[in-house]
Amino acid sequence: MKLYPMKLIPATKDIIWGGRRLIDGYHKRGDAERLAESWELTVRPDGMSVVANGEYATRTLGEFIDAAGADVIGKGYDGDRFPLLIKLIDARDRLSIQVHPSDEYALKNENEYGKTEMWYIVEADEGAELVFGLSSDYTPEKFKAALDAGRVEDMLHRVKVHAGEVYFIPSGLVHAIGAGILICEIQQNSNVTYRVYDYNRPGADGKPRPLHVNKALDVIVNYTPAEIEALRFSRDVKPRDDSSALLAACDKFVVTRYDICGKVTVDADETSFVSLTFTDGDGVIVFDGCEYEFTKGDTYFLPAGMGRAELRSDRAVAIAARI
């Protein structure tokens, strides 16, 4: 079986807080006037990437992996599902206040893995902010009382954000994307979210969206201010070399930003696939004598064992993830 760079067609999601940036600036298409999420790399029943080019064009990424074997995820990979989910998220309005459980809690209570994730800020309006943790005087009792009294916003730790910054979000950290932000999210392949507070707004059906307060209180971790600050990386992070900067590394994923001005080499060796989400610019991926065009908003899947490819562009940015 010949391995090659696979351009992916995403699964898209229309949610009440979505906007038009993904449609107008990143050539995404949905069934509505707004688009909240584009699941760029996904192998899930509720959203599946489709291969757009080459031998496996029109087949899902899951079908390719089933045919090729789990070694295209990483040699010897023995997980029971694809490990990552990668999204572009456009928040026209603020998202709900939420928290994700650990693997242990989620497997016990949801038959699903937990969720550790990271956000790369692609665009941010002036003054845009995130909810990133809780105030230092948090206790479960105070938090529950604040929820009951409609004062939970008083206990949230907020940070102003700028394009190019990185926020690492381990399970247990209370968080929310604010209005006016476009992010690239790399996360465990899980859709378990405990919604704590949703500003009393109605969902698409006109009714308030469900909350999961008791489960949230079970899993919230009281990170200290110093611990929260350590999870935040400045947009001025220094590259490892002229073209790449390590954005995040944990036992779930490793994420690198490539600033392409000329040529950059990426290696999809036997240990892991590489996903490439292009957040700016255009160019070509050169592999085995062939060129694969990319533009802002495209995502490619490079199967493990494919080998080295060159990214060529006068100016482009790629967010690369691997396990």
Side-chain angles (χ1 to χ4, degrees):
M1 176 177 291
K2 179 178 173 60
L3 303 179
Y4 63 96
M6 295 180 170
K7 185 177 180 179
L8 300 180
I9 301 170
T12 55
K13 307 291 181 178
D14 172 28
I15 308 172
I16 58 172
W17 42 260
R20 288 196 55 88
R21 290 195 207 207
L22 293 174
I23 298 170
D24 296 337
Y26 295 80
H27 63 86
K28 305 302 177 183
R29 295 293 177 264
D31 297 327
E33 286 297 309
R34 64 189 177 204
L35 187 61
E37 298 184 351
S38 177
W39 291 15
E40 295 292 301
L41 175 62
T42 174
V43 183
R44 294 184 56 82
D46 51 348
M48 184 75 71
S49 297
V50 175
V51 180
N53 64 323
E55 178 183 352
Y56 279 87
T58 74
R59 300 180 69 178
T60 69
L61 184 58
E63 288 172 336
F64 163 71
I65 293 169
D66 288 344
D71 280 357
V72 296
I73 300 174
K75 189 171 181 62
Y77 182 76
D78 61 357
D80 64 351
R81 69 199 72 188
F82 191 81
L84 298 185
L85 174 59
I86 297 175
K87 305 175 182 178
L88 292 173
I89 300 177
D90 174 24
R92 174 188 55 85
D93 195 2
R94 53 191 176 177
L95 274 67
S96 61
I97 310 303
Q98 55 191 242
V99 66
H100 304 306
S102 65
D103 286 345
E104 181 182 12
Y105 187 94
L107 286 168
K108 180 179 179 181
N109 291 276
E110 311 292 349
N111 193 30
E112 175 80 279
Y113 283 102
K115 190 192 295 188
T116 288
E117 62 190 10
M118 64 147 282
W119 294 338
Y120 174 78
I121 309 297
V122 180
E123 298 181 21
D125 292 348
E126 184 70 28
E129 60 184 18
L130 303 175
V131 171
F132 198 60
L134 296 170
S135 59
S136 57
D137 62 347
Y138 166 83
T139 67
E141 295 76 19
K142 287 182 179 179
F143 194 66
K144 181 63 165 59
L147 281 170
D148 292 342
R151 295 184 291 99
V152 70
E153 293 188 66
D154 296 341
M155 296 193 68
L156 304 177
H157 175 65
R158 300 180 185 273
V159 293
K160 302 289 186 185
V161 299
H162 306 86
E165 292 179 331
V166 176
Y167 293 82
F168 186 79
I169 302 161
S171 59
L173 180 72
V174 173
H175 60 278
I177 306 171
I181 302 173
L182 176 71
I183 72 168
C184 181
E185 177 178 275
I186 292 87
Q187 60 161 88
Q188 286 179 266
N189 186 5
S190 170
N191 208 20
V192 178
T193 294
Y194 296 150
R195 193 179 295 120
V196 178
Y197 180 67
D198 199 27
Y199 307 101
N200 301 311
R201 62 186 168 188
D205 60 359
K207 301 176 181 178
R209 295 195 294 172
L211 303 179
H212 317 95
V213 173
N214 290 335
K215 288 183 175 180
L217 290 171
D218 284 345
V219 304
I220 288 173
V221 176
N222 187 20
Y223 291 94
T224 68
E227 289 171 331
I228 291 172
E229 187 60 30
L231 299 172
R232 178 184 180 188
F233 299 88
S234 166
R235 58 182 166 168
D236 298 323
V237 60
K238 299 302 181 185
R240 294 185 298 192
D241 52 40
D242 291 339
S243 62
S244 67
L246 181 66
L247 301 185
C250 64
D251 62 341
K252 311 300 183 186
F253 48 73
V254 176
V255 181
T256 302
R257 184 187 69 210
Y258 289 103
D259 298 288
I260 309 160
C261 184
K263 296 188 292 188
V264 169
T265 299
V266 296
D267 189 5
D269 60 22
E270 291 186 340
T271 64
S272 174
F273 71 89
V274 177
S275 72
L276 297 169
T277 298
F278 295 93
T279 59
D280 198 12
D282 53 52
V284 294
I285 301 171
V286 181
F287 174 73
D288 196 24
C290 297
E291 293 187 352
Y292 303 81
E293 295 183 353
F294 67 80
T295 192
K296 182 173 75 171
D298 286 344
T299 291
Y300 274 82
F301 176 80
L302 280 52
M306 189 194 84
R308 293 185 177 182
E310 275 190 351
L311 313 182
R312 296 181 184 177
S313 175
D314 292 336
R315 181 189 60 83
V317 176
I319 306 301
R322 59 186 295 138
I323 56 175

